[in-house]
Amino acid sequence: MIFDVINRIDFDVSKAIFDNYVLKDGLYVRINDNRVEYFLFKDSKKEDKKQLLFKDLDGNIRANEYEWFVKRDYLSAYLNSNKAIDPPKKKIHSNNFLALFIKASEFIIDNKFHFVENLFEKLKSFENFNKKEEKEILKQYKGYIFDENRQKDIEKKKTLLLRFFDEIENVVRENRIKNYVKIFFDEPLEKYEKESEIYYALKIYNKIETVREIEGRIYGLSDFNMGLNQKKPYLEHKTRGFPLPFMVEKDKIFEVKKLFDYLKNLKEPLKYDPTATAPGIYLHKHNENDQAVIDDFDILVFVENSLPKRFEYKNYIGLTSDGRAIENREITTFEGLYKLIDEVFYNGNLSNNLYGDVYSKLPHDFQNLIYLTRDLAKNILKRDIDSLFGYLKFGVNFIIYNIRQNRLFKAGEILNLILSIKAYKGENVDIKGTLAKIEEKVKNLEELNSDEWHIISGQVIKYLLDKSKKSDKKADMIEPFLRVGKTKKLKDEIEALYFKYKHEIPLNFTKLNNAIALIMAKEENEKVNKEKLLIGLMSENIFYRKEEK
């Protein structure tokens, strides 16, 4: 999966990381042979150009210096607190002797020699890293580590830090620095890259115990989007010589780190459209403990962004707004179909709840509907048209939820979408024709089939409920009919409703009387077809047609 993404990326990942990297608030110090420079950074969500927030102690913007610090900051940061270079205290948050990152509250005289010991003395020879696997890794860097020039440079940097420590401490105190103090030595980027590479080689794998030397190359278990501990024994391979689920070679693991560092600051899913010669990629992630975690990944086969055939969202039930019928819409792309589904089914709440925990302040029933159906929406984004038909299973649930929220117009929109999906699937959807046929059967007292019986029942319920004198007719008046499970009980509810409002019904209203008679004549006690009942409830009502006025 990970290398599928790496091999598909067609841009400079390092540049993308630096372009999106944001420094942490605090004091930034650069030490060279002769002087010390001080800068302040305080992030603001209102400012997109972060370099404009990088200033000297006098408040002057020093945007031209921002990139210098960003690149070295990225290379020098430790992976996480469990992989600090100074356990068990873990005061140092950097990974090489060219940079010292500490919390401002820790930058005090009492910690000076702790920093010196762990930043310079420990990293001078890496002698504290004495596990067998660590020695195997360090063996590859032996010539560089013990190079005479490097040894002298470490001593020089130690002397400089000791020389300027008190001055830096005063600046921290005088400027009331509350966050980080980050000290950098003025050296080329290539030197930072080489020093940090040693740290990463030692710490980048899940555990050092997973490291193996195979034919002169170092391999280990990736720590990115992977964990192997007592809580995850199912990841182990029990039947081969070592239990690791997979291993990554040292040079490749650095590519993996870059990918996850890039993903961390990515706001949208990473998507590559498939072509006739290469598969596409869809990747979605969330951040956890300041690291990217992939929660959805797919290889996309070559499917045009255009739908196999045009999708028509039709106003089958004659829904009106301000007295005018809702217009039909045509959708031609998968993205357009996804947006329509989000708008109609989810009222625009889907995109922010497509992954992870659904927003807890949404109604509980709506949260459940999102959990049950959002995979269908994800697959539509991945150009799987068959997932569209999965919504037919849940359509009634969406309609009833909105009716119970007293959103009858939204419920009507959803019913139109469900009927449009049925039509797209190839089913014959002709509500007007069906109502005309039912009206003719009612006129002649002809026997109704099950679907027609449920539709006319919905029509009668709606007509009778309209006879209520309540000034504010709430959707909960429909609730008793939505709760009914069997047709016999539904007949009883309709009969009770009829007697409740019969005094409001015109004398000799033949159409209604015939409809009631056909409803009561049903003998089978079957499961209520709520979709057909809702079609009757929400479609144009035949009892209001002109000839019956």
Side-chain angles (χ1 to χ4, degrees), residues 299-314:
I299 298 290
L300 307 180
V301 297
F302 180 61
V303 177
E304 293 282 356
N305 183 30
S306 300
L307 296 172
K309 60 180 179 179
R310 182 180 55 192
F311 182 88
E312 294 183 87
Y313 176 44
K314 288 188 175 181

Side-chain angles (χ1 to χ4, degrees), residues 512-525:
L512 181 65
N513 292 334
N514 286 359
I516 295 289
L518 288 171
I519 291 170
M520 295 304 155
K522 183 176 180 62
E523 295 181 355
E524 298 88 352
N525 187 25

Side-chain angles (χ1 to χ4, degrees), residues 460-523:
V460 169
I461 292 168
K462 179 63 168 63
Y463 178 80
L464 293 174
L465 287 176
D466 284 348
K467 299 304 175 184
S468 170
K469 296 297 185 182
K470 288 184 178 180
S471 58
D472 185 16
K473 295 178 181 178
K474 297 288 188 180
D476 58 8
M477 296 172 69
I478 304 173
E479 181 68 21
F481 306 97
L482 299 178
R483 291 185 178 276
V484 171
K486 293 285 189 172
T487 52
K488 184 179 183 303
K489 177 63 175 173
L490 183 59
K491 284 167 53 178
D492 294 341
E493 294 286 350
I494 293 172
E495 184 178 27
L497 188 65
Y498 174 75
F499 280 105
K500 183 176 181 179
Y501 295 114
K502 67 179 183 178
H503 61 283
E504 295 287 341
I505 300 170
L507 292 172
N508 301 319
F509 193 171
T510 305
K511 186 188 294 187
L512 181 65
N513 292 334
N514 286 359
I516 295 289
L518 288 171
I519 291 170
M520 295 304 155
K522 183 176 180 62
E523 295 181 355

Side-chain angles (χ1 to χ4, degrees), residues 5 142 223 255 309 455 474:
V5 179
K142 186 176 180 180
D223 199 28
E255 295 182 38
K309 60 180 179 179
I455 291 173
K474 297 288 188 180

Side-chain angles (χ1 to χ4, degrees), residues 525-545:
N525 187 25
E526 60 187 25
K527 184 178 180 181
V528 172
N529 185 330
K530 292 187 179 179
E531 182 181 303
K532 300 300 181 184
L533 183 67
L534 287 165
I535 288 173
L537 273 163
M538 304 177 72
S539 300
E540 178 188 5
N541 199 284
I542 65 172
F543 300 112
Y544 289 113
R545 293 203 169 158

Side-chain angles (χ1 to χ4, degrees), residues 401-458:
Y401 164 75
N402 280 279
I403 288 175
R404 287 172 175 162
Q405 299 293 315
N406 205 39
R407 292 198 289 261
L408 292 178
F409 184 83
K410 172 57 69 175
E413 288 185 312
I414 293 171
L415 180 55
N416 275 329
L417 183 51
I418 290 296
L419 294 172
S420 298
I421 294 172
K422 284 177 174 284
Y424 192 77
K425 191 178 181 182
E427 296 184 27
N428 181 29
V429 180
D430 182 9
I431 303 302
K432 286 186 177 180
T434 300
L435 288 173
K437 184 178 179 181
I438 292 172
E439 188 172 13
E440 187 65 23
K441 283 190 174 185
V442 168
K443 179 180 178 181
N444 299 319
L445 280 174
E446 295 179 30
E447 184 179 356
L448 303 170
N449 64 35
S450 179
D451 287 352
E452 292 167 342
W453 185 90
H454 282 88
I455 291 173
I456 195 61
S457 294

Side-chain angles (χ1 to χ4, degrees), residues 229-241:
N229 52 46
Q230 293 179 349
K231 296 180 180 179
K232 299 179 181 179
Y234 50 83
L235 292 175
E236 295 184 352
H237 283 260
K238 306 292 186 180
T239 57
R240 69 180 183 186

Side-chain angles (χ1 to χ4, degrees), residues 26-287:
L27 176 70
Y28 286 76
V29 183
R30 180 165 57 197
I31 300 177
N32 58 33
D33 291 349
N34 302 311
R35 64 191 179 109
V36 183
E37 298 172 276
Y38 299 98
F39 305 89
L40 295 171
F41 181 78
K42 187 174 183 180
D43 194 9
S44 169
K45 293 180 180 179
K46 296 179 181 179
E47 177 59 70
D48 291 331
K49 296 181 179 180
K50 302 301 180 184
Q51 61 269 30
L52 298 179
L53 303 172
F54 200 71
K55 303 176 181 180
D56 59 27
L57 295 183
D58 294 324
N60 302 308
I61 295 174
R62 301 294 297 274
N64 58 315
E65 300 284 3
Y66 184 76
E67 186 177 350
W68 188 96
F69 283 93
V70 160
K71 291 181 176 180
R72 287 156 181 80
D73 189 278
Y74 167 71
L75 290 170
S76 300
Y78 70 4
L79 290 166
N80 57 63
S81 61
N82 291 328
K83 296 184 177 183
I85 62 174
D86 61 333
K89 292 186 177 182
K90 302 178 182 179
K91 295 179 184 293
I92 299 175
H93 296 192
S94 47
N95 66 43
N96 64 79
F97 78 89
L98 297 171
L100 174 61
F101 301 171
I102 58 274
K103 289 288 186 69
S105 58
E106 300 283 358
F107 197 81
I108 55 177
I109 295 296
D110 291 347
N111 289 329
K112 180 192 293 189
F113 291 101
H114 173 82
F115 300 147
V116 169
E117 174 65 28
N118 288 277
L119 194 65
F120 301 112
E121 299 301 332
K122 182 183 286 188
L123 300 185
K124 194 172 185 179
S125 64
F126 290 88
E127 62 182 14
N128 290 55
F129 297 86
N130 50 26
K131 291 182 180 179
K132 182 183 74 171
E133 296 85 0
E134 291 172 337
K135 289 180 178 179
E136 291 291 341
I137 291 172
L138 291 170
K139 188 168 61 177
Q140 299 190 356
Y141 296 95
K142 186 176 180 180
Y144 173 79
I145 290 172
F146 292 100
D147 179 81
E148 183 179 354
N149 290 329
R150 180 178 182 275
Q151 296 293 307
K152 289 180 178 179
D153 192 38
I154 291 176
E155 287 297 325
K156 178 181 177 181
K157 299 294 190 289
K158 179 174 71 173
T159 301
L160 285 171
L161 180 63
L162 290 172
R163 173 183 166 189
F164 292 114
F165 192 95
D166 292 352
E167 178 186 322
I168 297 171
E169 186 192 25
N170 287 333
V171 172
V172 171
R173 187 172 58 256
E174 290 170 1
N175 289 273
R176 298 179 181 179
I177 305 300
K178 300 296 183 184
N179 304 100
Y180 272 92
V181 176
K182 295 193 173 186
I183 301 171
F184 299 82
F185 289 100
D186 194 358
E187 294 289 353
L189 192 64
E190 294 75 20
K191 194 168 182 177
Y192 276 87
E193 289 174 340
K194 190 64 179 178
E195 288 296 330
S196 63
E197 181 183 326
I198 304 173
Y199 166 81
Y200 290 136
L202 290 164
K203 298 290 187 178
I204 202 167
Y205 289 111
N206 181 263
K207 290 182 179 179
I208 194 64
E209 288 78 13
T210 70
V211 172
R212 302 282 189 279
E213 183 180 15
I214 303 174
E215 297 182 352
R217 292 178 178 269
I218 298 298
Y219 293 81
L221 176 65
S222 171
D223 199 28
F224 298 98
N225 223 71
M226 170 58 63
L228 191 62
N229 52 46
Q230 293 179 349
K231 296 180 180 179
K232 299 179 181 179
Y234 50 83
L235 292 175
E236 295 184 352
H237 283 260
K238 306 292 186 180
T239 57
R240 69 180 183 186
F242 57 90
L244 304 181
F246 68 95
M247 301 184 78
V248 183
E249 196 265 331
K250 178 171 67 68
D251 291 340
K252 292 289 185 182
I253 198 68
F254 293 142
E255 295 182 38
V256 175
K257 179 186 183 298
K258 280 187 178 182
L259 171 64
F260 277 85
D261 289 338
Y262 166 70
L263 292 176
K264 182 171 68 173
N265 293 310
L266 199 62
K267 301 294 189 295
E268 301 291 334
L270 179 65
K271 187 175 181 181
Y272 281 92
D273 290 336
T275 66
T277 57
I281 285 174
Y282 180 90
L283 182 153
H284 188 279
K285 61 85 189 181
H286 70 278
N287 288 351

